[in-house]
């Protein structure tokens, strides 16, 4: 059973929505960020970069308080409006033939704790605490947790019906994506969606593990402070974007390592031969084609690595994951990369053309060897989450990447 809740969103006014919404702060180069802050006074980036107004770098609690102040200014200047009725917000992103369709709603912290909202990544406690403190000060949530659910004909039918209506927003962004948003405020329609989700066994976090963990921590802290706690306060929920699992797109992260851990090229190949069938593919770009098949770039040549399944033990859902296989058979025992999160010898890359970038970086001598994998599948993510296991870091790069400031949930 999955509980979803409508909420009164804070949203940009129609004539400024394309100017207000932004990509995630971390996706901007310093030069691009400064240009937006200089020439677009309506950008949501002004809220999360409040020190720009005073030409000062701010951090910690001082920054959190200024973020809250900039947010209030956007409300006072009528750049943002607050909806008068609880709603669910259907949001579509479309580029060419590719479309993502899901909706903003509030999801339950209690269900996160009870593992009805399922996780596949570990979180770092200091980051949880920092973001919980941020939320407690700024009093809003502007970046939803991306979650997926099993495709459902009833839910799809309702959303198809809503999309026949005129959208609340229709705008394009510089990355050639067309954005549409519909406000669903009809109580009967909302009830139909909620009833359909009551039959959904679980929601799966695709992106936003730290955001959901921080919301949980904030709720625990708020509950302790509130002597009149009854369970329906805003802090008992957090904003999510729910999308059917057939519509998310999962990309792989490649791995590059700075050195061969003291081995020669020949010694490395001999060690790899213990666990893989190796074929030299020459200098032509070569990508893996199926599970348990890897591409390696070393000393100007690509190699095909097929796992010798008779020498590798499959024990659980995690052991079947290619990123885990690569770690257990090559990165840890041969190249000496024990900590995938902290070891500075390893670097990760993603993207459609990343194998070309990987080759270029290795040819320039910045790295010694690189490995390419096929993308993780949604069923693998679900199997690992269902088993309570954790995927290695940088196992997935998942789209859609949602814009900030499109819908805001007040705490």
């Amino acid at each position: 059973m999955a509980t979803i809740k409508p909420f009164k969103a804070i949203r940009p006014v129609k004539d400024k929505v394309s100017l207000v919404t932004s990509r995630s702060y971390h996706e901007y180069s310093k030069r691009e960020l400064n240009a937006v802050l200089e020439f677009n006074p309506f950008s949501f980036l002004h809220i999360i970069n409040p020190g720009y107004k005073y030409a000062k770098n701010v951090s910690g609690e001082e920054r959190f308080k200024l973020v809250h102040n900039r947010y209030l200014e956007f409300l006072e200047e009528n750049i943002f409006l607050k909806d008068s009725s609880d709603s669910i917000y259907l949001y579509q992103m479309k580029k060419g033939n590719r479309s993502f369709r899901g909706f903003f709603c509030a999801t339950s912290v209690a269900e996160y704790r009870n593992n009805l909202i399922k996780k596949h990544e570990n979180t770092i406690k200091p980051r949880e605490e920092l973001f919980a403190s941020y939320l407690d000060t700024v009093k809003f949530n502007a970046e939803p947790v991306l979650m997926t659910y099993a495709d459902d004909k009833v839910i799809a039918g309702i959303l198809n019906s809503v999309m026949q209506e005129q959208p609340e927003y229709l705008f394009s962004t510089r990355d050639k994506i067309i954005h549409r948003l519909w406000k669903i405020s009809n109580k009967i329609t909302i009830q139909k969606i909620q009833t359909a989700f009551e039959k959904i066994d679980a929601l799966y976090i695709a992106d936003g593990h730290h955001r959901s963990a921080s919301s949980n921590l904030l709720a625990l802290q708020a509950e302790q402070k509130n002597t009149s706690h009854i369970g329906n306060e805003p802090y008992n929920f957090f904003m999510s974007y729910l999308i059917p699992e057939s519509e998310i797109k999962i990309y792989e992260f490649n791995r590059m390592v700075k050195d061969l851990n003291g081995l020669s090229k020949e010694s490395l190949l001999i060690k790899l031969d213990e666990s893989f069938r190796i074929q030299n593919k020459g200098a032509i770009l070569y990508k893996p084609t199926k599970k348990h098949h890897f591409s390696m770039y070393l000393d100007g040549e690509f190699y095909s690595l097929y796992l010798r399944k008779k020498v590798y033990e499959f024990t659980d859902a995690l052991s079947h994951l290619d990123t885990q296989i690569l770690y257990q058979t090559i990165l840890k025992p041969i190249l000496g990369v024990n900590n995938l999160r902290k070891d500075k010898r390893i670097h990760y890359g993603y993207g459609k053309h990343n194998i070309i970038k990987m080759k270029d970086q290795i040819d320039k001598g910045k790295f010694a060897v690189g490995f390419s994998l096929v993308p993780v599948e949604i069923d693998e993510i679900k199997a690992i989450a269902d088993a309570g296991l954790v995927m290695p870091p940088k196992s997935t790069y998942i789209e859609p990447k949602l814009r900030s400031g499109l819908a805001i949930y007040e705490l």
Side-chain angles (χ1 to χ4, degrees):
M1 175 179 174
T3 301
I4 66 166
K5 186 175 181 290
F7 67 101
K8 297 180 179 69
I10 306 296
R11 301 186 288 113
V13 293
K14 284 185 181 181
D15 66 318
K16 296 181 176 63
V17 61
S18 63
L19 297 171
V20 172
T21 64
S22 69
R23 306 196 311 273
S24 175
Y25 164 71
H26 300 289
E27 293 183 21
Y28 291 85
S29 67
K30 185 175 181 180
R31 182 178 179 182
E32 187 180 12
L33 177 63
N34 287 336
V36 174
L37 293 172
E38 177 69 23
F39 298 109
N40 180 5
F42 302 112
S43 174
F44 185 75
L45 293 171
H46 281 284
I47 293 178
I48 55 178
N49 294 269
Y52 182 81
K53 181 176 182 179
Y54 303 107
K56 177 184 177 183
N57 291 323
V58 292
S59 60
E61 189 63 26
E62 181 183 26
R63 174 177 172 265
F64 299 167
K65 290 178 180 179
L66 287 176
V67 167
H68 179 66
N69 293 344
R70 294 292 83 71
Y71 171 66
L72 293 180
E73 286 178 5
F74 269 53
L75 285 169
E76 292 161 357
E77 295 171 3
N78 296 317
I79 298 170
F80 281 147
L81 59 82
K82 183 172 183 176
D83 282 326
S84 58
S85 59
D86 287 331
S87 304
I88 290 172
Y89 302 86
L90 171 58
Y91 173 49
Q92 181 196 41
M93 303 170 66
K94 193 172 190 296
K95 183 177 182 179
N97 296 325
R98 186 67 186 169
S99 174
F100 300 105
R101 182 184 68 172
F103 57 88
F104 297 104
C105 63
T107 48
S108 168
V109 167
E111 291 186 0
Y112 174 85
R113 293 174 194 163
N114 295 330
N115 205 35
L116 293 174
I117 294 175
K118 298 196 174 188
K119 309 166 279 292
H120 66 262
E121 289 183 8
N122 270 334
T123 53
I124 301 170
K125 194 66 176 178
R127 285 184 63 186
E128 288 181 33
E129 294 171 345
L130 180 66
F131 195 61
S133 176
Y134 170 83
L135 292 175
D136 188 39
T137 302
V138 303
K139 304 299 183 186
F140 67 84
N141 189 334
E143 293 191 346
V145 175
L146 178 65
M147 295 193 202
T148 186
Y149 60 92
D151 286 54
D152 183 271
K153 290 182 180 179
V154 173
I155 298 171
I158 296 171
L159 300 186
N160 287 337
S161 178
V162 171
M163 291 182 68
Q164 302 307 309
E165 302 171 6
Q166 186 73 17
E168 185 83 4
Y169 294 146
L170 171 57
F171 66 98
S172 298
T173 44
R174 292 171 59 191
D175 48 12
K176 298 183 179 180
I177 295 176
I178 299 172
H179 305 261
R180 294 180 177 90
L181 182 139
W182 293 262
K183 177 185 173 185
I184 305 173
S185 55
N186 182 279
K187 292 182 179 180
I188 295 175
T189 304
I190 291 173
Q191 182 61 53
K192 287 180 179 179
I193 296 173
Q194 290 176 315
T195 300
F197 268 93
E198 288 174 359
K199 300 175 183 178
I200 300 289
D201 291 334
L203 301 175
Y204 293 83
I205 298 175
D207 189 17
H209 284 80
H210 278 92
R211 292 193 292 277
S212 50
S214 299
S215 295
N216 177 51
L217 179 58
L218 174 69
L220 290 170
Q221 294 170 347
E223 182 177 342
Q224 291 175 355
K225 296 176 184 177
N226 184 3
T227 57
S228 302
H229 172 85
I230 57 175
N232 63 355
E233 295 86 353
Y235 59 72
N236 292 291
F237 301 87
F238 57 96
M239 184 169 65
S240 296
Y241 180 78
L242 307 188
I243 184 170
E245 60 187 41
S246 64
E247 291 197 27
I248 67 168
K249 178 66 176 176
I250 306 174
Y251 296 91
E252 75 280 7
F253 273 94
N254 295 338
R255 277 95 164 103
M256 294 175 285
V257 183
K258 288 185 177 293
D259 58 69
L260 302 183
N261 197 30
L263 298 172
S264 65
K265 171 185 173 181
E266 293 74 19
S267 297
L268 173 62
L269 291 171
I270 290 172
K271 284 185 174 293
L272 290 176
D273 192 66
E274 297 176 10
S275 300
F276 297 91
R277 290 184 290 114
I278 305 173
Q279 294 179 352
N280 188 322
K281 296 294 184 178
I284 299 175
L285 290 174
Y286 180 76
K287 295 189 70 174
T289 57
K290 59 184 180 181
K291 295 295 177 185
H292 313 331
H293 176 212
F294 305 88
S295 169
M296 178 178 72
Y297 186 64
L298 172 68
D299 194 27
E301 295 179 310
F302 284 93
Y303 294 82
S304 168
L305 306 180
Y306 281 96
L307 180 69
R308 298 185 188 275
K309 296 180 181 178
K310 290 185 178 180
V311 300
Y312 180 84
E313 185 178 5
F314 294 102
T315 57
D316 54 22
L318 181 60
S319 68
H320 284 265
L321 198 69
D322 281 349
T323 51
Q324 180 71 4
I325 292 171
L326 189 67
Y327 174 67
Q328 292 288 0
T329 59
I330 301 176
L331 297 178
K332 182 179 179 180
I334 298 177
L335 296 179
V337 179
N338 294 304
N339 192 321
L340 294 172
R341 206 177 285 276
K342 295 183 179 180
D343 196 320
K344 295 182 179 180
R345 295 169 56 233
I346 190 168
H347 182 80
Y348 304 91
Y350 67 89
K352 183 177 179 181
H353 304 294
N354 189 62
I355 193 168
I356 299 174
K357 296 177 183 177
M358 182 180 79
K359 178 182 183 300
D360 183 59
Q361 294 287 298
I362 293 171
D363 288 342
K364 290 179 178 178
K366 295 183 179 180
F367 298 92
V369 63
F371 301 92
S372 182
L373 308 79
V374 297
V376 171
E377 296 178 352
I378 185 61
D379 286 343
E380 293 180 288
I381 293 176
K382 291 172 65 176
I384 287 172
D386 288 341
L389 300 171
V390 176
M391 296 170 67
K394 303 296 184 183
S395 287
T396 59
Y397 181 86
I398 297 178
E399 291 183 344
K401 296 298 183 187
L402 303 170
R403 295 184 75 80
S404 299
L406 184 62
I408 295 174
Y409 176 75
E410 284 196 321
L411 296 167

